């Protein structure tokens, strides 16, 4: 998980990690925080883990719960303005019967934990099934697909397949059969990313957006070090001369505007002074001839 990939959270299945392996990984990759769930009796088989990028996630406040060891792990992290984000990472069984029972086990584990654990807001991982026939090629449903137990869990958690809702007619395979190398088998409900993990399962990613966060624009364009390599541009000095001319033009316009404003103010003050002198003279003339006189407000 590299910072330049901008990956914050990564769910991994078939981890085959012992606790000693996790310690070694933490010592080797100090920018990662690994939350692992392994089978109690066979820790070097199967397993599911959530990997947090320390550069982009506050790992010191992260919490996790092993709902089903080796199969389901719940992780909660800080998100925005005191809000928490709860993610449920799973590695569902491949056997159709076990797969259908697995989703009941997940719901039962969440119900048993009660208020001690947060309600998952995101489900990710290897489900080993699809929810729609459109996610297989050719389109069909296997015995474990769209099971009642899975649909009930999704309804109970109030979760939906967002990718399929937004792309109802698209087919983007993320799993390819080893016996049918060039034929896509099934589609995941997220977005494919760069092929930095070469297995029969393509890695996928999704961007989560908090609707309560303030709008962040594209930012202000700035020159970077790569522009220093544009020799023709710098030799012509176009940028420097244009910037110098612009500053000189703005400075001259500012002086001209200030000069015009000062001239208008001086003219107005002279007029006021003239009005004062005229009013004083008229008042003096009135007293000299024994008449009362008062100024009339200007309209």
């Amino acid at each position: 998980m590299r910072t330049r990939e901008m990956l914050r959270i990564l769910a991994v299945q078939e981890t085959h990690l012992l606790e000693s392996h996790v310690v070694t990984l933490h010592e080797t990759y100090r920018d990662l925080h690994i939350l692992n769930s392994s089978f109690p009796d066979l820790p070097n088989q199967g397993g599911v883990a959530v990997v947090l990028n320390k550069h982009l996630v506050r790992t010191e406040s992260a919490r996790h719960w092993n709902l089903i060891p080796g199969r389901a792990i719940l992780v909660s992290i800080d998100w925005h303005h005191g809000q928490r984000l709860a993610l449920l990472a799973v590695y569902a069984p491949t056997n159709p019967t076990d797969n259908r029972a697995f989703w009941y086990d997940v719901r039962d584990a969440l119900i048993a934990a009660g208020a001690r654990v947060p309600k998952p807001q995101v489900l990710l991982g290897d489900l080993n099934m699809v929810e729609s026939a459109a996610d297989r090629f050719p389109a069909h449903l296997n015995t474990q697909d769209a099971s009642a137990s899975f649909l009930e869990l999704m309804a109970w958690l109030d979760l939906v397949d967002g990718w399929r809702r937004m792309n109802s007619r698209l087919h983007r395979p993320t799993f390819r059969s080893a016996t049918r190398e060039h034929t896509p088998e099934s589609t995941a409900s997220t977005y494919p990313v760069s092929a930095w993990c070469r297995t029969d399962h393509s890695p996928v990613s999704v961007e989560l957006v908090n609707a309560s966060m303030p709008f962040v624009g594209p930012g202000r364009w700035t020159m970077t070090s790569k522009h220093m390599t544009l020799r023709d541009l710098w030799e012509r000095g176009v940028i420097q001369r244009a910037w110098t001319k612009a500053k000189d033009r703005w400075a001259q316009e500012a002086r001209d505007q200030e000069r015009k404003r000062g001239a208008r103010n001086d003219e107005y003050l002279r007029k006021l002074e003239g009005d004062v002198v005229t009013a004083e003279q008229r008042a003096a003339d009135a007293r000299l001839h024994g008449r009362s006189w008062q100024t009339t407000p200007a309209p």
Side-chain angles (χ1 to χ4, degrees):
M1 184 186 296
R2 296 165 291 181
T3 303
R4 61 176 176 269
E5 293 281 359
M6 295 302 291
L7 294 178
R8 291 165 169 78
I9 305 169
L10 180 67
V12 187
Q13 297 77 41
E14 288 279 4
T15 54
H16 300 183
L17 290 178
L18 302 173
E19 287 303 318
S20 58
H21 296 156
V22 175
V23 173
T24 302
L25 289 172
H26 281 155
E27 294 175 349
T28 305
Y29 304 100
R30 297 184 180 276
D31 56 343
L32 302 181
H33 184 59
I34 302 171
L35 304 172
N36 182 55
S37 175
S38 58
F39 292 115
D41 300 329
L42 299 171
N44 60 339
Q45 296 184 16
V48 60
V50 173
V51 185
L52 304 178
N53 188 338
K54 290 184 178 180
H55 295 288
L56 303 172
V57 177
R58 295 179 56 185
T59 57
E60 64 275 4
S61 60
R63 300 187 60 190
H64 72 284
W65 299 266
N66 287 326
L67 296 181
I68 303 177
R71 290 293 185 187
I73 181 173
L74 179 63
V75 176
S76 175
I77 62 170
D78 283 333
W79 198 12
H80 176 70
H81 278 189
Q83 299 181 32
R84 305 276 298 182
L85 179 65
L87 306 103
L88 176 60
V90 301
Y91 174 42
T94 57
N95 180 275
T97 302
D98 295 339
N99 190 286
R100 291 192 295 269
F102 170 72
W103 305 112
Y104 285 129
D105 294 340
V106 171
R107 188 183 64 174
D108 292 343
L110 290 170
I111 293 175
R116 297 193 303 273
V117 301
K119 185 177 181 180
Q121 300 159 279
V122 179
L123 172 66
L124 66 166
D126 187 353
L127 278 59
N128 274 313
M129 50 82 69
V130 297
E131 190 176 356
S132 170
D135 292 331
R136 290 194 182 276
F137 181 84
H140 69 283
L141 289 177
N142 290 341
T143 55
Q144 74 269 31
D145 293 337
S147 62
S149 57
F150 176 78
L151 297 178
E152 289 177 12
L153 176 63
M154 293 300 97
W156 185 65
L157 295 177
D158 195 21
L159 296 178
V160 297
D161 186 345
W163 189 88
R164 178 52 64 196
R165 281 198 174 188
M166 296 175 60
N167 306 275
S168 59
R169 303 183 65 180
L170 291 182
H171 183 70
R172 292 292 184 269
T174 59
F175 169 71
R176 296 177 182 272
S177 172
T179 59
R180 302 167 65 186
E181 181 178 358
H182 302 291
T183 304
E185 289 293 319
S186 62
T187 301
S189 302
T190 43
Y191 303 92
V193 296
S194 58
W196 45 262
C197 179
R198 299 189 180 278
T199 66
D200 56 350
H201 289 73
S202 299
V204 295
S205 72
V206 63
E207 181 180 1
L208 300 178
V209 179
N210 191 331
S212 64
M213 290 183 64
F215 172 76
V216 179
R220 179 174 58 87
W221 183 87
T222 58
M223 297 186 67
T224 62
S225 57
K226 68 180 180 182
H227 295 96
M228 299 297 293
T229 61
L230 304 177
R231 179 176 300 178
D232 295 340
L233 180 64
W234 292 106
E235 287 179 352
R236 291 197 306 268
V238 174
I239 296 178
Q240 295 95 324
R241 288 201 297 270
W243 176 241
T244 301
K245 290 179 180 178
K247 290 193 297 183
D248 293 342
R249 184 176 67 253
W250 296 334
Q252 185 61 45
E253 291 178 357
R255 287 192 292 267
D256 293 342
Q257 291 290 339
E258 187 64 26
R259 189 180 301 109
K260 292 178 181 179
R261 179 181 298 180
R264 289 196 299 268
N265 291 340
D266 292 342
E267 182 181 358
Y268 182 68
L269 289 175
R270 287 194 296 269
K271 182 178 180 303
L272 290 179
E273 291 175 352
D275 292 344
V276 170
V277 171
T278 300
E280 291 177 346
Q281 184 61 48
R282 293 178 63 182
D285 293 343
R287 287 195 298 271
L288 179 63
H289 294 86
R291 301 193 304 268
S292 62
W293 180 88
Q294 61 182 9
T295 59
T296 302

